[in-house]
Amino acid sequence: MPVRFEVNGKPVGVEVEPRLTLADCLRHRLRLTGTHVGCEHGVCGACTVLVDGAAVRSCLMLAVQAEDKKVVTVEGLSLEDRLTPLQASFRRHHALQCGFCTPGMITTAHALLSEEPDCDADRVREVLSGNLCRCTGYISIVEAVLDARAAYKRSEERA
Amino acid sequence: MKKALLLRFEADAGVMKLPLFEYACPTTISEAVALLASHDGEAKPLAGGQSLVPMLAFRVASPALLVDLRKLLELRQIKIADNGVTLGAMVRWRDILDDTRLRTAHPLLVAAVEHIGHYQIRNCGTVGGSVAHADPAAEMPGIVVTCEATIAVSGKAGERVIKSSDFFRGPLTTALTPDEIITEIRLPPWPAKRRFGFQEFARRHGDFAMAGAALFYDEDGQDRACNAHVGVIGVSDRPLRLVAVEQVLNGNKIDLALIAKAEATASAAVNPPNDIHAGGAYRKALVGVMVERALKSATTQRN
Amino acid sequence: MMKIKSFVGQPIERLEDLRFVRGRGQYVDDLARKDMLHAAILRSSVGHGHIRSIDISRAQKIPGVHSVITAADLGTPTPRVPMRLHPMPEFEVFGQPIMARDKVRYVGEALAMVLAESAAAAEDALGEIAVEIEPLPAVSNHMIAAKNETLLFENKNSNVAMKFRAVLGDAAAAFKDAPYTRRESFSTQRHTALTIEPRGLLCEWDAARGKLTVSGAAKVLFFNRSVIARQLGLSEESIDMVEYDVGGSFGARGEFYPEDFLIPFAARHAGRPVKWTEDRREHLMTMNHAREAACDVEIACERDGTIRGLRGHVFVDIGAYMRTNGAVGARNIAQFMSGPYRVPNIDIDVSLLLTNKAPVGTYRGPGRFETDFFRERLFDMVARDLGIDQIEFRRLNLVSEAEMPYTVATITPFESKDELDSGDYQITLDRCLTEFGWAEKAKLKGKCVDGRYHGLAISCFIEGGAAGPKESARLVLEPDGTLTVYVGSSGVGQGLETAFAQIAADAMEMPIDRINNVFHDSTAYVSDGYGSYHSRSIVMGGSAILDAAMKLREAMCAEAARRLNCGAAEVVLADGHAHGTDGKSVSWAELAPEPISVEGTFLNKKHTWAYGSHAAHVSVDAKTGHVQLHDYVAVENCGRIINPLTLKGQLVGAVVQGLGGALMEHLVYDEHSQLLTGSLADYLVPTASDFPVVRGIVMESHPSPINPLGAKGAGEGGIIPVGGVIANAVADALSSFGVEPRDLPLSPSRVWQLIQDGLKPRDIH
């Protein structure tokens, strides 16, 4: 069946089987491979995207359920010529190693900071507890997110 | 020695793409019910998807038709009135946490929801979905049972209201017929001075409870507990009301000695099975600790 | 002339990050090819049995299915997974056939492969394959295996695949009249690397040119290429292994798995590109398991705590087959049980037992995590028995600098010897105690505060790295004067592109931004590469780069000498120019109108030994068994720090993996050899909220004498001591209950049970 929605600000229309997840639709039909699939059962968070501003697990959403929605992926949270403050903070704090969980972390952190630029370390940890990382041990990721709060408080970066 | 029996299997180990199904997205409740009724038990309603879609991914559920409830906007309301708090079935955990009225209108509900899932799950998971899924360790079914909520459903035979004590029949099993969807969870009114506690122990933040307790009591003119409701999750095939514990509490002042007795009574009242995360004896002791800690937090509340 | 600042030792932000933070990494599942088929693998859900029939007829008719392959299609005899490390003829019989033919030996073993137009269609078809298996009794643990009542391999009369010994001195004599001995049994649980990216491969066969391209290879590209070449009857040159970005390895990814044959085979069979990615459930069933071991060990000491000897028996559950490196962990348990300590007499034997479980392989610090848990638990018990402070006991027995190189136990029958290269183990212990604040925290030992019991522990460890024998690198001076670096090492997330750029920049005395790229991801780049395992890449790949740089500079000087009419020895390379005598110079770009390409190598037979100390402060809720980590300090000294940012990242990341292993991760099989932990809802790994305080401190001193960088491999030290430290801290916290943890993981229910078992009649608050 056909589904029309918006991805990273652009309208898209695809013909999909109902069983195609939003994650697979983004990755294989729209070739936006920044969103990753790590478990397909809603635990690892690597597939996190924003749907109408809210962070969701795209492996648990059917592509057909994205009808009329605004979807934002890590590609839509990136700039052509430079890193965003959040991305620069991740790099500065060495908040990634293999990079596989990173798009999910960035997307989730962006959603959190957009709504709660004053969040504290406990809140950051609580929110990121739904995103698994095996490389970093999370400490540097939490530091990176906290360090990015300033940019969001200045309202430059809010979703 | 070899067994003569040959094992013939067609479902294999390790399959994760979703199985084939048809999909419908009705715009009215009656349309949804009609779709569910027409497929002879082979159709399933899809709410937030946080519980159902993983089951599809593991292919332990394989419905012929998914009926998506997301366009049933009338199911998304939170109503607070003299007759209590009514949650539309499609109300999400996030909606409950965002609705500041609920912090006073039903603080026990809010306390439980704060333990549910992770950030992303809260944006999608629904009250109705959790109650219909009926995981024995889930928080919302525990709240339903503790608070004696009623569950309004709509089916091909019309509407009916199911009492919480009749609703949960076993692990992932409820009183719903295949054509029925939950429309509302109705929580009785919550008096301002009521004392309550919610305690849960999970392996990690956001995991299902290994044991949890949701309880409340009111106080009579002499500071004695009355109308105690004690519900527990994670220790049986469904959420349980621990009547024996309620009997220990009612008519008495809640002091440390009574709390210790309540703890022991709670442990004695359950017989949890073993699983890979914990043995039955551990959960038995743990639920007592959860009741004890929930009571302690109830006694120290300021209203 | 301007002196370029040194890049080695600087916390340079990683080059890799520029693509990763934007979601522009390319992992194997991101790849697509025209006309691509998807492979899905039918896996046994029976743990042990004879295969009576496999009926693929219905599956072949599913729309979208191209073909269905079974073992019969793979040739006779069925090809096997080879051993990469310690290949010995006596192990060959335990090698895993690529696909099960007559017998299945673990849940998850491959039975058939479907090729179809989509992944979903392939999985639909799997459901239509009918398999008849006559079940056999399940050999579900090492004790059942040892009885040999049910044999996994009927033509062998034992489930013991191998036995070897670690020997030093004369343990029998040392124990005979020892004033103090203590004997204990310990066990560690089966768990695994659990990379967030599951495995995958995309293979393409170009029939016209007879060329096979394997994308999604990882870690040991060159070895795997040689295996595929041999098994498919191709020359190595006709196979290109291409890595792309890899979502973590930790020692488990990249080993030769059955799919590493099946997918290339499928591409050639179908004449179309074939892509396979495993899902998480398959991953848990089939990617190398690790760490399951039990031991019965005994220590002998003098009354003052000086260790006389260690002896004992170790039993390692290696699963159903011996795969590429299944013996490594077992060997390490025996050989390195002494760790950084002086143990003059050792006699430890290790049995490798076959069971109906997924085969094992290396996982970060293989065998070392297990053996450090065994040893450090024993040490705290001994210290308490002898009335000696746990820190002083360790100090007394640490190998000293003066004793280096210090020979550890010899492993028979490999006759493999090893020696600790350099270091002062006291300084990392001191640093750890200071940073941790041991003296201040010690007041809390065993005390109950607000209902929680507090405990401390400290341990010392060594980390072996830099496995030889060789690594290669190639440097190319490009016509624009920039440098391109190629190495045989593999990137698995550890930041090699950045570290190697730092090393190359310093070796060539050039700014790092003139290094235009570091390529590590293909067998086409260097002639003889080995890869990344055993924490070898900085030492091996980095030293190969140094060799290549030296040779490139010689080539540049020779070319410059020709142009500048002077002797090569008179040429000075600086500031991007080659300076001759009498003021003449030529730019590097001018030296290389055609790129100048030079290959370097580094040969090595000795291991490096990074070392350090970890300390932990925990509190235990005695009523729930919950262990809370309040502080964790990990100090590691790696000889020479290349990039402190990435080094510390490795350290902290490894510690958190270790905390998962100590407290929550567990691959559970039941008595029917069914894997009960089939998803991430049951296999629990640490999340961001579990361990908020882990402090990593890196030191450099005592460079390694065995390589020109002076560096020591340091990717695994973070995980090695964690089991022992956490278990000792829990024992310390619960000392008033008489609790002695002997088994991992210390999950809440197990801790609670230990308390019940040790409970003295007193109130718990």
Side-chain angles (χ1 to χ4, degrees):
Chain A
M1 47 189 291
V3 58
R4 305 174 106 74
F5 53 103
E6 192 185 280
V7 178
N8 298 332
K10 295 194 171 65
V12 297
V14 278
E15 182 71 35
V16 300
E17 277 188 308
R19 66 167 162 172
L20 187 72
T21 62
L22 179 61
D24 283 346
C25 179
L26 291 167
R27 287 177 51 71
H28 301 297
R29 299 297 294 279
L30 301 176
R31 300 304 293 150
L32 291 166
T33 56
T35 302
H36 296 149
V37 168
C39 76
E40 291 178 292
H41 58 279
V43 176
C44 78
C47 68
T48 305
V49 299
L50 305 180
V51 176
D52 289 345
V56 305
R57 296 181 177 321
S58 64
C59 75
L60 296 186
M61 196 167 153
L62 305 176
V64 294
Q65 293 184 296
E67 181 78 29
D68 293 331
K69 303 233 183 265
K70 295 184 187 331
V71 175
V72 175
T73 68
V74 64
E75 291 92 339
L77 297 177
S78 301
L79 301 166
E80 239 341 284
D81 59 340
R82 61 195 150 86
L83 298 183
T84 64
L86 180 59
Q87 291 168 333
S89 189
F90 265 62
R91 189 173 184 227
R92 195 162 57 245
H93 290 274
H94 189 41
L96 61 149
Q97 291 180 25
C98 81
F100 197 78
C101 76
T102 307
M105 290 287 181
I106 295 229
T107 312
T108 306
H110 175 81
L112 169 65
L113 292 172
S114 298
E115 286 184 343
E116 302 173 41
D118 283 318
C119 55
D120 64 10
D122 282 341
R123 178 65 176 152
V124 172
R125 280 190 276 268
E126 183 199 346
V127 168
L128 291 183
S129 65
N131 293 69
L132 298 182
C133 173
R134 264 318 239 180
C135 293
T136 66
Y138 305 105
I139 311 275
S140 55
I141 297 177
V142 173
E143 286 171 4
V145 174
L146 292 172
D147 196 15
R149 288 178 300 181
Y152 282 80
K153 283 188 226 186
R154 292 196 296 269
S155 301
E156 300 163 359
E157 294 302 308
R158 303 238 191 162
Chain B
M1 296 305 296
K2 289 181 188 175
K3 285 168 71 169
L5 176 70
L6 298 182
L7 292 184
R8 186 185 174 87
F9 64 98
E10 282 161 28
D12 83 343
V15 181
M16 293 219 54
K17 292 291 172 206
L18 305 187
L20 277 167
F21 52 79
E22 285 174 46
Y23 171 88
C25 196
T27 52
T28 65
I29 294 175
S30 50
E31 204 188 323
V33 168
L35 283 162
L36 291 169
S38 69
H39 270 70
D40 201 28
E42 293 295 319
K44 271 199 85 65
L46 174 65
Q50 307 300 285
S51 304
L52 179 59
V53 179
M55 290 178 72
L56 298 178
F58 284 115
R59 300 200 177 196
V60 296
S62 207
L65 168 71
L66 277 193
V67 179
D68 193 338
L69 306 178
R70 67 187 160 89
K71 287 190 180 163
L72 304 181
L73 301 179
E74 65 266 57
L75 299 184
R76 294 191 186 272
Q77 293 186 52
I78 300 175
K79 287 184 276 208
I80 299 171
D82 292 338
N83 65 345
V85 174
T86 301
L87 305 170
M90 292 294 282
V91 164
R92 302 166 304 164
W93 310 122
R94 181 211 168 112
D95 301 325
I96 291 174
L97 294 174
D98 284 350
D99 191 333
T100 48
R101 302 173 299 166
L102 288 172
R103 275 146 218 278
T104 40
H106 211 299
L108 179 57
L109 169 68
V110 174
V113 173
E114 279 170 347
H115 283 84
I116 292 180
H118 292 293
Y119 188 64
Q120 297 93 333
I121 292 183
R122 294 194 199 165
N123 286 329
C124 295
T126 66
V127 169
S130 172
V131 170
H133 184 65
D135 188 303
E139 293 84 354
M140 193 65 207
I143 293 297
V144 163
V145 160
T146 293
C147 298
E148 291 190 82
T150 54
I151 295 119
V153 311
S154 193
K156 67 181 181 218
E159 318 212 311
R160 63 182 179 124
V161 177
I162 309 175
K163 293 200 308 204
S164 61
S165 49
D166 293 333
F167 188 82
F168 299 101
R169 299 277 168 95
L172 309 187
T173 313
T174 69
L176 292 172
T177 56
D179 58 292
E180 286 179 319
I181 60 166
I182 297 174
T183 53
E184 289 178 341
I185 310 285
R186 298 174 182 165
L187 295 160
W190 183 275
K193 289 208 159 104
R194 173 166 286 173
R195 292 188 170 275
F196 69 94
F198 184 89
Q199 284 286 322
E200 175 185 303
F201 184 73
R203 293 288 299 266
R204 302 169 305 180
H205 172 79
D207 285 343
F208 275 129
M210 288 217 277
L215 54 82
F216 67 79
Y217 60 89
D218 298 317
E219 285 170 320
D220 67 13
Q222 280 117 31
D223 294 339
R224 293 177 303 197
C226 61
N227 194 28
H229 282 58
V230 178
V232 293
I233 58 175
V235 291
S236 180
D237 64 353
R238 69 195 82 177
L240 295 178
R241 279 275 297 279
L242 295 186
V243 175
V245 177
E246 294 167 2
Q247 284 168 348
V248 164
L249 300 177
N250 284 335
N252 294 308
K253 291 202 180 153
I254 311 289
D255 59 19
L256 287 179
L258 196 72
I259 291 176
K261 190 167 172 204
E263 175 181 354
T265 307
S267 289
V270 301
N271 218 357
N274 298 328
D275 71 14
I276 60 168
H277 292 293
Y282 171 73
R283 280 197 158 93
K284 209 167 153 70
L286 187 64
V287 79
V289 176
M290 296 296 102
V291 166
E292 182 229 0
R293 292 181 181 179
L295 282 171
K296 278 188 175 157
S297 97
T299 57
T300 56
Q301 270 155 13
R302 284 174 205 292
N303 281 343
Chain C
M1 286 164 218
M2 214 174 51
K3 177 149 172 54
I4 308 275
K5 74 166 187 188
S6 177
F7 296 98
V8 167
Q10 299 298 318
I12 307 275
E13 289 181 8
R14 294 192 335 164
L15 307 169
E16 296 88 330
D17 294 358
L18 296 172
R19 63 181 184 278
F20 291 155
V21 295
R22 290 183 160 116
R24 288 195 197 153
Q26 273 203 299
Y27 303 85
V28 65
D29 191 51
D30 300 339
L31 307 175
R33 300 283 185 265
K34 258 177 43 166
D35 213 29
M36 187 168 76
L37 288 169
H38 294 261
I41 300 186
L42 179 68
R43 301 189 179 281
S44 174
S45 48
V46 174
H48 195 198
H50 288 298
I51 301 171
R52 291 300 175 219
S53 68
I54 301 183
D55 182 354
I56 62 174
S57 51
R58 268 169 54 195
Q60 288 171 311
K61 300 192 189 96
I62 297 287
V65 168
H66 172 279
S67 52
V68 182
I69 290 166
T70 62
D73 301 306
L74 303 182
T76 305
T78 308
R80 288 172 172 251
V81 175
M83 284 192 71
R84 181 169 67 82
L85 299 178
H86 319 113
M88 298 181 69
E90 42 271 62
F91 284 138
E92 272 175 38
V93 67
F94 305 117
Q96 180 174 1
I98 293 293
M99 204 173 253
R101 193 164 193 161
D102 308 305
K103 206 178 179 210
V104 70
R105 294 183 175 88
Y106 66 99
V107 166
E109 189 166 1
L111 298 172
M113 173 170 59
V114 171
L115 303 180
E117 301 294 335
S118 73
E123 296 201 359
D124 293 342
L126 291 183
E128 298 299 320
I129 299 176
V131 183
E132 290 186 340
I133 295 180
E134 187 183 313
L136 291 167
V139 178
S140 56
N141 63 50
H142 77 265
M143 292 164 291
I144 296 173
K147 292 196 186 130
N148 290 326
E149 283 164 7
T150 301
L151 297 171
L152 265 79
F153 295 87
E154 284 92 350
N155 57 347
K156 296 292 280 187
N157 55 10
S158 170
N159 290 320
V160 178
M162 183 69 182
K163 225 174 145 150
F164 38 76
R165 274 169 81 197
V167 176
L168 193 66
D170 184 345
F175 274 82
K176 206 155 68 142
D177 60 349
Y180 167 87
T181 63
R182 180 152 179 169
R183 184 173 173 176
E184 288 287 342
S185 296
F186 300 107
S187 76
T188 48
Q189 83 282 24
R190 202 175 196 79
H191 55 289
T192 181
L194 209 286
T195 55
I196 304 297
E197 184 203 9
R199 293 176 301 150
L201 291 164
L202 172 63
C203 296
E204 302 162 85
W205 170 245
D206 179 342
R209 290 160 59 214
K211 191 158 151 54
L212 177 71
T213 307
V214 177
S215 300
K219 198 180 87 159
V220 284
L221 276 55
F222 294 84
F223 175 82
N224 287 5
R225 180 176 69 170
S226 70
V227 175
I228 296 171
R230 191 171 60 248
Q231 291 181 345
L232 288 181
L234 297 170
S235 70
E236 288 188 19
E237 293 69 46
S238 64
I239 302 174
D240 205 1
M241 311 286 285
V242 185
E243 199 168 58
Y244 289 94
D245 289 315
V246 172
S249 165
F250 317 117
R253 189 194 306 271
E255 293 300 330
F256 198 93
Y257 288 94
E259 296 83 4
D260 291 287
F261 171 87
L262 284 171
I263 310 306
F265 174 89
R268 205 166 62 155
H269 157 87
R272 289 168 62 178
V274 175
K275 183 178 182 186
W276 167 76
T277 51
E278 72 179 351
D279 57 53
R280 186 54 66 182
R281 201 165 147 184
E282 282 181 279
H283 177 98
L284 285 164
M285 274 194 271
T286 64
M287 188 142 163
N288 280 339
H289 288 189
R291 300 261 197 263
E292 187 167 8
C295 74
D296 170 10
V297 291
E298 194 176 8
I299 189 169
C301 295
E302 310 297 349
R303 279 278 151 211
D304 71 352
T306 306
I307 300 171
R308 271 205 187 185
L310 273 173
R311 68 180 174 188
H313 313 284
V314 180
F315 308 96
V316 179
D317 182 328
I318 63 165
Y321 296 102
M322 178 70 78
R323 277 214 283 238
T324 53
N325 55 18
V328 172
R331 186 210 61 194
N332 287 349
I333 291 178
Q335 194 168 31
F336 304 114
M337 194 177 287
S338 52
Y341 303 97
R342 183 187 313 107
V343 181
N345 301 288
I346 294 175
D347 186 355
I348 300 167
D349 63 68
V350 188
S351 302
L352 280 62
L353 290 137
L354 296 154
T355 60
N356 294 122
K357 299 180 190 173
V360 303
T362 53
Y363 166 36
R364 209 167 196 174
R368 304 177 199 265
F369 174 93
E370 299 89 294
T371 208
D372 271 40
F373 167 69
F374 302 155
R375 174 192 70 244
E376 295 288 337
R377 278 299 292 128
L378 204 50
F379 278 12
D380 265 16
M381 292 171 168
V382 166
R384 198 167 42 246
D385 283 350
L386 294 177
I388 299 171
D389 173 80
Q390 72 208 109
I391 297 167
E392 293 317 308
F393 177 83
R394 287 168 169 85
R395 269 200 207 287
L396 176 65
N397 290 294
L398 281 172
V399 172
S400 69
E401 208 183 335
E403 294 166 87
M404 310 261 184
Y406 176 84
T407 304
V408 299
T410 298
I411 290 287
T412 59
F414 303 125
E415 293 315 309
S416 85
K417 294 178 187 292
D418 225 322
E419 48 185 37
L420 307 180
D421 57 354
S422 71
D424 180 348
Y425 299 158
Q426 304 283 346
I427 62 174
T428 41
L429 177 56
D430 290 336
R431 182 76 186 271
C432 189
L433 289 165
T434 306
E435 297 284 347
F436 181 73
W438 183 278
E440 181 61 29
K441 289 184 163 86
K443 302 171 194 157
L444 288 170
K445 279 159 110 344
K447 298 268 190 322
C448 183
V449 177
D450 292 338
R452 299 189 73 100
Y453 291 80
H454 289 252
L456 308 186
I458 188 155
S459 85
C460 303
F461 71 94
I462 48 170
E463 162 178 5
K470 185 181 176 186
E471 194 51 86
S472 302
R474 190 156 60 86
L475 296 185
V476 178
L477 180 65
E478 306 288 356
D480 62 358
T482 62
L483 192 74
T484 309
V485 181
Y486 299 90
V487 279
S489 309
S490 287
V492 294
Q494 74 277 53
L496 286 190
E497 286 160 45
T498 309
F500 285 160
Q502 291 170 262
I503 292 170
D506 276 16
M508 294 298 296
E509 293 174 21
M510 62 194 290
I512 200 169
D513 58 8
R514 298 292 286 167
I515 310 249
N516 64 53
N517 230 324
V518 175
F519 293 100
H520 54 73
D521 51 348
S522 167
T523 44
Y525 296 147
V526 298
S527 56
D528 189 13
Y530 281 75
S532 290
Y533 48 94
H534 200 148
S535 294
R536 71 192 300 271
S537 290
I538 290 292
V539 171
M540 299 300 294
S543 298
I545 289 174
L546 291 186
D547 183 53
M550 182 189 67
K551 290 173 174 154
L552 178 59
R553 290 171 75 87
E554 279 169 11
M556 289 161 71
C557 288
E559 178 59 26
R562 239 189 325 278
R563 293 180 191 224
L564 298 174
N565 244 330
C566 61
E570 295 168 292
V571 173
V572 174
L573 297 174
D575 302 338
H577 285 75
H579 300 266
T581 52
D582 48 86
K584 289 193 283 186
S585 72
V586 64
S587 75
W588 289 10
E590 291 171 280
L591 281 180
E594 293 296 321
I596 303 178
S597 170
V598 170
E599 212 167 289
T601 56
F602 182 66
L603 300 171
N604 182 26
K605 286 192 173 126
K606 295 185 174 188
H607 294 127
T608 60
W609 297 95
Y611 57 92
S613 287
H614 289 198
H617 170 198
V618 306
S619 71
V620 182
D621 179 340
K623 299 190 81 174
T624 64
H626 178 250
V627 177
Q628 174 81 40
L629 182 66
H630 293 279
D631 195 10
Y632 195 100
V633 171
V635 176
E636 182 153 7
N637 189 322
C638 64
R640 175 129 178 248
I641 299 173
I642 307 299
N643 185 323
L645 201 57
T646 58
L647 176 61
K648 195 173 147 195
Q650 290 286 298
L651 182 53
V652 171
V655 167
V656 175
Q657 279 187 315
L659 293 167
L663 293 165
M664 55 177 76
E665 297 180 40
H666 196 171
L667 290 162
V668 181
Y669 282 86
D670 69 9
E671 68 272 27
H672 306 293
S673 287
Q674 289 293 317
L675 180 63
L676 300 180
T677 40
S679 78
L680 296 182
D682 287 323
Y683 187 82
L684 306 180
V685 296
T687 70
S689 53
D690 289 306
F691 308 115
V693 185
V694 175
R695 302 193 273 143
I697 291 147
V698 295
M699 296 174 71
E700 60 178 353
S701 69
H702 303 80
S704 175
I706 67 149
N707 67 80
L709 281 170
K712 300 182 179 184
E716 297 169 77
I719 206 172
I720 288 170
V722 182
V725 171
I726 293 296
N728 277 338
V730 170
D732 189 49
L734 298 177
S735 49
S736 59
F737 295 92
V739 161
E740 292 285 17
R742 293 179 172 85
D743 310 290
L744 295 181
L746 291 170
S747 62
S749 67
R750 282 164 167 239
V751 171
W752 178 86
Q753 192 60 54
L754 284 170
I755 294 170
Q756 306 316 303
D757 295 344
L759 207 54
K760 298 172 163 78
R762 70 170 74 203
D763 285 337
I764 312 166
H765 296 291

